């Protein structure tokens, strides 16, 4: 069993006390962090020794809302709001995506995420079995499950066949790893939402759903669901509870926030996507103050154009400063926790992941201690939020497996870029047919 010793590190633990350890060491063995110490740890003869050279070591980042396979549609619908974005993408997506394409897009996303220090992602997309297998091949921990929309998607499933297939899929997954992904309250009727809620209750699945992303959505949901907000609809149908992750929550009301906090639901903030699509800015400070667990996501690479959680971290702090004239509204510490331990909690893994503590799963990132862009570092939280990028990620471990070494992803399939190129040619053809320039 390989034993890895990381020494000479500034360890940002993200534990309950937000402890930061200077000149610290940690040991990874058997997929776990077995020791974290302020004192040097002796390396054995067969150990893998990594000298962090004063660099920051932190928990793996968690991308708590994304659509991984949509890397294949990166940049296809720029300069649009959400409605125009969807109307542009859906026809191309339906013609392009099958199980094989979803796997290729997910592998591409996995390589991008790992290179940027993300060790886990909450995905919502079609062909979840293919996505899970693809993510496993590149070493990314992906949480996903069946997607629910009211019309046939690329998987060509109609209701109730979609429900039947989803039940079989969930029954094949281990208890505690099951997810359902009702797309939204604007693409599902109340009866369909209740079907998904019953399935989630029956299988113990967690829930991943878009909610309150745009002003147009709020009006559409009010019209379709008797004047209610998306949060009210989800609460009424039984889809809002402590296993629910709400993506976006930009236009939640004060009453919505109280409801979310009251049931212990989680929210994923997606500042890059929301800014690019002009969707608005989520009231993150109000949600945090109400006790809501707020995580961080990138959304899909088709809407935000990349899966860079460091960019999302920076925007999560900068945008509220502009909006409210308060540079301290969302602190660097808030942001780092949103990207790590809060994300782990949203995934239901807070007791085993998300912080650097002995006994926890070894999802660990080592930054380059000699990188000019993050030198000097007087405050590690500040450095992580305001200065760090994907370029400074030197080593990444997922459940103890060394997947990025010296800034190089070790798990890239040899034929990945060839497969992506073939699919990209197909997208170009489809754009010509649909008149998309």
């Amino acid at each position: 069993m390989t034993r890895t010793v990381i020494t000479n590190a500034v360890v940002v633990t993200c534990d309950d006390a937000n402890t930061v350890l200077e000149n610290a060491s940690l040991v990874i063995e058997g997929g776990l962090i077995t020791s974290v110490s302020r004192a040097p740890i002796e390396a054995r003869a067969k150990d893998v020794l990594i000298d962090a050279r004063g660099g920051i070591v932190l928990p793996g980042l968690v991308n708590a809302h994304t659509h991984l396979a949509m890397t294949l549609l990166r940049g296809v619908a720029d300069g649009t709001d959400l409605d125009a974005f969807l109307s542009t993408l859906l026809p191309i997506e339906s013609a392009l995506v099958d199980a094989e394409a979803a796997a290729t897009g997910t592998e591409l996303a996995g390589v991008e995420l790992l290179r940027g220090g993300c060790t886990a992602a909450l995905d919502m997309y079609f062909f979840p079995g293919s996505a899970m297998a693809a993510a496993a091949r590149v070493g990314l921990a992906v949480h996903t499950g069946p997607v629910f929309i009211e019309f046939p998607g690329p998987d060509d499933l109609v209701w109730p066949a979609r429900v039947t297939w989803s039940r079989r899929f969930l029954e094949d997954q281990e208890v505690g790893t099951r997810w359902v992904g009702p797309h939204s309250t604007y693409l599902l009727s109340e009866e369909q939402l209740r079907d998904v809620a019953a399935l989630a209750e029956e299988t113990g699945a967690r829930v991943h759903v878009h909610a309150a992303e745009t002003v147009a959505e709020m009006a559409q949901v009010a019209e379709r669901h008797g004047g209610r907000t998306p949060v009210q609809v989800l609460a009424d149908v039984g889809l809002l509870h402590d296993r629910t992750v709400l993506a976006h929550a930009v236009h939640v009301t004060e009453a919505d926030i109280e409801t979310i906090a009251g049931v212990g639901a989680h929210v994923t903030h997606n500042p890059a996507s929301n800014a690019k699509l002009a969707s608005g800015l989520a009231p993150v400070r109000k949600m945090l103050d109400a006790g809501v667990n707020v995580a961080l996501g990138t959304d899909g690479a088709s809407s935000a154009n990349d899966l860079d959680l460091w960019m999302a971290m920076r925007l999560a702090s900068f945008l509220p400063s502009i909006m409210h004239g308060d540079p301290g509204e969302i602190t660097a510490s808030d942001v780092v926790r949103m990207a790590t331990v809060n994300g782990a909690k949203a995934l239901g893994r807070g007791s085993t992941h998300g912080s650097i503590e002995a006994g926890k799963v070894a999802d660990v990132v080592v930054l380059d201690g000699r990188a000019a862009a993050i030198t000097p570092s007087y405050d590690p939280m500040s450095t992580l939020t305001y200065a760090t990028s994907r370029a400074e990620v030197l080593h990444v471990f997922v459940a103890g497996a060394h997947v990025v070494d010296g800034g190089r992803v070790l798990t890239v399939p040899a034929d990945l870029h060839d497969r992506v190129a073939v699919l990209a040619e197909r997208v170009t053809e489809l754009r010509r047919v649909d008149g998309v320039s």
Side-chain angles (χ1 to χ4, degrees):
M1 182 182 299
T2 301
R3 183 175 183 261
T4 300
V5 179
I6 302 172
T7 63
N8 192 23
V10 176
V11 178
V12 176
T13 66
C14 294
D15 63 5
D16 289 343
N18 252 5
T19 306
V20 175
L21 304 174
E22 304 278 351
N23 301 314
S25 303
L26 64 147
V27 177
I28 297 172
E29 189 172 12
L32 301 176
I33 299 166
T34 57
S35 177
V36 183
S37 172
R38 294 180 185 271
I41 295 175
E42 286 279 337
R44 303 169 186 167
K46 294 184 178 180
D47 287 348
V48 175
L49 178 63
I50 295 175
D51 183 354
R53 303 193 301 178
I56 296 172
V57 174
L58 70 153
L61 305 183
V62 178
N63 191 339
H65 174 65
T66 189
H67 310 283
L68 293 175
M70 294 185 83
T71 49
L72 299 174
L73 300 172
R74 193 191 312 264
V76 167
D78 290 342
T80 63
D81 63 11
L82 181 62
D83 287 347
F85 167 83
L86 292 173
S87 64
T88 300
L89 253 66
L90 289 177
I92 298 174
E93 180 182 59
S94 294
L96 175 76
V97 178
D98 56 16
E100 185 177 346
T104 297
T106 300
E107 286 180 352
L108 181 64
V111 171
E112 180 180 353
L113 284 169
L114 291 171
R115 179 62 187 86
C118 277
T119 56
L122 178 55
D123 189 32
M124 180 192 288
Y125 206 62
F126 303 97
F127 306 105
S130 295
M132 292 168 71
R137 285 193 291 272
V138 298
L140 180 73
V142 165
H143 298 249
T144 190
V147 175
F148 296 86
I149 53 176
E150 61 186 341
F151 50 84
D155 54 8
D156 207 29
L157 289 173
V158 297
W159 218 278
R162 184 174 295 280
V163 177
T164 301
W165 179 87
S166 298
R167 178 176 285 105
R168 290 199 302 268
F169 180 90
L170 291 169
E171 288 172 349
D172 287 340
Q173 308 306 308
E174 292 183 17
V175 176
T177 67
R178 297 169 178 170
W179 285 87
V180 294
H183 180 276
S184 60
T185 54
Y186 63 90
L187 286 185
L188 291 165
S189 68
E190 182 159 343
E191 181 180 359
Q192 290 168 331
L193 289 164
R194 290 187 184 278
D195 286 346
V196 179
L199 182 59
E201 186 64 28
E202 173 188 334
T203 59
R206 299 180 72 82
V207 178
H208 181 197
V209 58
H210 296 94
E213 183 175 0
T214 68
V215 172
E217 174 195 340
M218 301 302 286
Q220 190 175 352
V221 171
E223 181 177 356
R224 181 168 193 174
H225 294 288
R228 290 173 290 175
T229 68
V231 169
Q232 289 172 328
V233 174
L234 292 169
D236 289 345
V237 301
L239 279 171
L240 192 69
H241 41 65
D242 61 0
R243 303 193 315 276
T244 300
V245 178
L246 304 172
H248 300 290
V250 173
H251 298 283
V252 287
T253 66
E254 297 279 357
D256 287 339
I257 293 173
E258 185 177 340
T259 299
I260 294 166
V263 299
H266 312 265
V267 165
T268 300
H269 181 36
N270 300 272
S273 172
N274 294 155
K276 185 170 183 287
L277 296 173
S279 300
L281 182 64
V284 172
R285 183 74 267 158
K286 289 183 179 180
M287 290 190 281
L288 290 173
D289 289 346
V292 177
N293 180 58
V294 181
L296 198 63
T298 62
D299 212 344
S302 54
S303 59
N305 292 61
D306 64 30
L307 302 175
D308 185 356
L309 210 66
W310 300 101
M311 173 67 78
M313 289 169 68
R314 216 170 284 192
L315 290 175
S317 177
F318 288 172
L319 294 180
S321 298
I322 296 171
M323 179 72 73
H324 304 294
D326 179 2
E329 174 155 330
I330 305 296
T331 68
S333 178
D334 289 332
V335 171
V336 172
R337 294 188 70 81
M338 286 164 60
T340 56
V341 65
N342 290 11
K345 290 176 181 177
L347 269 55
R349 310 198 313 171
S351 63
T352 55
H353 297 70
S355 60
I356 296 186
E357 300 178 81
K360 284 206 166 183
V361 173
D363 288 356
V364 175
V365 175
V366 182
L367 301 184
D368 185 354
R370 302 298 174 87
I374 55 173
T375 303
S377 175
Y378 302 112
D379 177 351
M381 293 296 188
S382 170
T383 299
L384 292 174
T385 301
Y386 305 132
T388 304
S389 72
R390 294 185 284 194
E392 287 75 57
V393 174
L394 199 58
H395 299 282
V396 179
F397 295 84
V398 180
H402 198 176
V403 293
V404 176
D405 184 2
R408 184 172 67 91
V409 182
L410 303 178
T411 54
V412 183
D415 65 341
L416 175 60
H417 290 287
D418 291 338
R419 286 185 278 125
V420 171
V422 171
L423 290 166
E425 288 181 8
R426 176 64 175 145
V427 171
T428 299
E429 293 170 2
L430 291 167
R431 294 180 78 191
R432 289 197 191 103
V433 170
D434 291 341
V436 178
S437 59

